[in-house]
Amino acid sequence: MSTSGTTPVTIRTITTAEHSRFIAARSSASFLQTPGWARVKPEWRAESLGWFREDELVGAALVLYRQLPKVKRFLAYLPEGPVIDWTDDDLGTWLEPLAAHAKLQGAFGVRMGPPVITRRWSAAQVKDGIADDAVRRLTDVAPLERSRDGAAVVAQLHELGWRPQGVEGGFAAGQPKYNFVIPLTGPDDAGTPRTEDDVLKGMNQLWRRNIKKAAKEGVVVEQGTRADLKAFHDLYVHTAERDHFTPRPLGYFQTMFDALGDEASGRITLWLARHEGDLVASTIGIQVGTHAWYSYGASSTEKREVRGSNAVQWEMIRHALANGAAVYDLRGITDTLDPDDPHVGLIQFKVGTGGEAVEYVGEWDLPINRAIYKAFDLYMARRS
């Protein structure tokens, strides 16, 4: 689709109510582009932006502004956004007004993450890649599909002066370039929902066996309430100590639960898997329109044999299917397929679901004030 030769697109600040209505009217958008996400990131100044063609709202974005140390200049960040027509063959129509608006807001640069997929790999391809000594990275494997839309977006961004960013690091942000997802609709153009049985058959033997074992052992999976976040967080801190990552505080999850929960019923869900009264796994799921995400997870070191993690994932997948999701998103993976890399275990866990690896166009920067942007770039390079 092209807007060339049609009414120009203009941009202005919109209310959170306008923003919410726009997101609700679409089939899906990233939860990081919902107005409620601004409450989860209070250290950033937030703004809801709207693109208009005459009086019609045709695009929206959550823009987060982060101030540079000691300088009143900002990085304008649009995580997994903006929500615009990325199939347009004149993206400048959308992005040039964005840059002009950000400049007026004191931004020295804009960073965004277009929600556009460039390549896909099947679970079998990823599995074979891990087993192949000649393969070290996902990009060493010929993809199942290359997206023309994705290639067109990349080409246009280069032409418009945007710069691709590395998949690691980021200005207190940075979203994954590679995700692992389970399609919940069939390959037909009608997007016919898959059945639970079909999704289960797509999983590998180990996943199916573990789901059955959890049921046989009496693992019970239930949805939790805000009051159960403390139990989730205790298990999450335990997981962080075991797996050597820095946990977020309980307050972060309480804010997240309130912000997304207040925005739309069923947007955020807490899941608890118990065995004989013991909490063995707990997760947080999010759904916006037809896109469902596994956002955070925790599991106990004890009783791993009852397979609580598999049980809770299966219940989340079933819930997503029942709620009309077209995709269940297990979020980020690294691009390494080296069997000696410590990240491969997580990839293998996700690959067992029988889904597919997808590559997004990644995050891109547009320098507005080149001198300040260059200093920021050097500052970030020293930090990494």
Side-chain angles (χ1 to χ4, degrees):
M1 170 184 170
S2 173
T3 56
S4 301
T6 64
T7 308
V9 176
T10 58
I11 196 169
R12 65 169 172 81
T13 302
I14 57 176
T15 66
T16 55
E18 288 176 296
H19 192 171
S20 292
R21 285 196 296 271
F22 181 80
I23 296 293
R26 296 180 63 87
S27 61
S28 68
S30 172
F31 64 92
L32 302 177
Q33 279 296 298
T34 63
W37 191 251
R39 288 172 56 188
V40 188
K41 297 293 178 182
E43 69 276 20
W44 299 71
R45 176 167 64 87
E47 179 183 37
S48 287
L49 273 187
W51 280 258
F52 288 84
R53 191 171 293 119
E54 293 184 336
D55 293 328
E56 182 187 2
L57 182 61
V58 293
L62 175 67
V63 186
L64 302 173
Y65 295 94
R66 187 66 178 266
Q67 187 172 342
L68 273 179
K70 302 178 183 178
V71 183
K72 198 158 187 183
R73 289 291 181 270
F74 305 85
L75 176 70
Y77 182 46
L78 292 75
E80 297 184 2
V83 185
I84 59 173
D85 179 13
W86 287 103
T87 65
D88 196 330
D89 58 17
D90 184 10
L91 288 178
T93 301
W94 303 84
L95 300 180
E96 285 163 11
L98 170 64
H101 179 87
K103 185 177 182 179
L104 289 173
Q105 296 295 309
F108 66 86
V110 183
R111 175 168 295 174
M112 65 177 181
V116 178
I117 291 172
T118 55
R119 293 185 284 186
R120 300 176 185 271
W121 294 264
S122 69
Q125 285 180 300
V126 179
K127 181 183 175 184
D128 291 345
I130 294 170
D132 189 339
D133 291 339
V135 171
R136 284 293 174 266
R137 301 206 169 272
L138 188 59
T139 49
D140 294 337
V141 180
L144 190 69
E145 177 192 336
R146 294 180 189 271
S147 164
R148 287 186 179 182
D149 287 343
V153 167
V154 169
Q156 287 198 68
L157 292 179
H158 278 297
E159 289 171 8
L160 293 167
W162 291 77
R163 301 178 178 183
Q165 298 304 298
V167 295
E168 294 182 356
F171 193 55
Q175 303 307 319
K177 184 173 183 178
Y178 300 93
N179 279 20
F180 202 86
V181 304
I182 306 172
L184 299 182
T185 57
D188 57 301
D189 291 338
T192 306
R194 296 173 67 190
T195 63
E196 287 183 15
D197 191 48
D198 184 46
V199 174
L200 199 58
K201 284 178 180 175
M203 295 181 177
N204 69 15
Q205 188 178 8
L206 180 62
W207 257 87
R208 294 196 301 271
R209 187 165 64 236
N210 286 345
I211 289 169
K212 285 181 181 177
K213 182 167 186 181
K216 186 178 179 181
E217 293 282 352
V219 174
V220 176
V221 181
E222 296 175 325
Q223 289 188 34
T225 66
R226 189 184 192 279
D228 294 308
L229 283 171
K230 177 65 167 64
F232 159 80
H233 190 258
D234 289 345
L235 192 61
Y236 166 74
V237 169
H238 165 80
T239 305
E241 291 171 352
R242 183 188 69 220
D243 295 346
H244 310 293
F245 64 86
T246 304
R248 293 187 181 276
L250 173 60
Y252 179 87
F253 295 103
Q254 291 171 330
T255 300
M256 183 178 171
F257 198 83
D258 292 341
L260 297 184
D262 290 348
E263 198 164 63
S265 176
R267 176 150 294 174
I268 185 166
T269 313
L270 175 65
W271 296 90
L272 305 150
R274 291 189 174 91
H275 178 259
E276 297 175 348
D278 297 322
L279 187 63
V280 292
S282 187
T283 54
I284 292 174
I286 301 172
Q287 184 166 341
V288 181
T290 59
H291 200 123
W293 291 265
Y294 158 53
S295 184
Y296 284 93
S299 62
S300 64
T301 304
E302 298 75 26
K303 293 192 170 183
R304 299 190 86 163
E305 71 281 359
V306 302
R307 305 303 178 188
S309 292
N310 297 93
V312 74
Q313 287 290 341
W314 176 233
E315 203 57 39
M316 290 173 77
I317 293 166
R318 292 181 65 232
H319 183 262
L321 272 168
N323 281 275
V327 62
Y328 180 76
D329 195 328
L330 288 141
R331 293 295 280 168
I333 57 172
T334 62
D335 66 345
T336 181
L337 297 184
D338 184 343
D340 296 326
D341 191 295
H343 295 105
V344 163
L346 179 62
I347 295 171
Q348 288 173 319
F349 177 80
K350 294 181 179 183
V351 165
T353 64
E356 58 189 23
V358 296
E359 176 195 50
Y360 286 88
V361 300
E363 295 198 323
W364 293 69
D365 280 11
L366 180 71
I368 294 174
N369 183 314
R370 293 189 177 275
I372 297 178
Y373 179 84
K374 187 175 181 181
F376 161 75
D377 221 17
L378 290 170
Y379 167 72
M380 293 308 299
R382 285 198 300 270
R383 282 184 55 184
S384 58

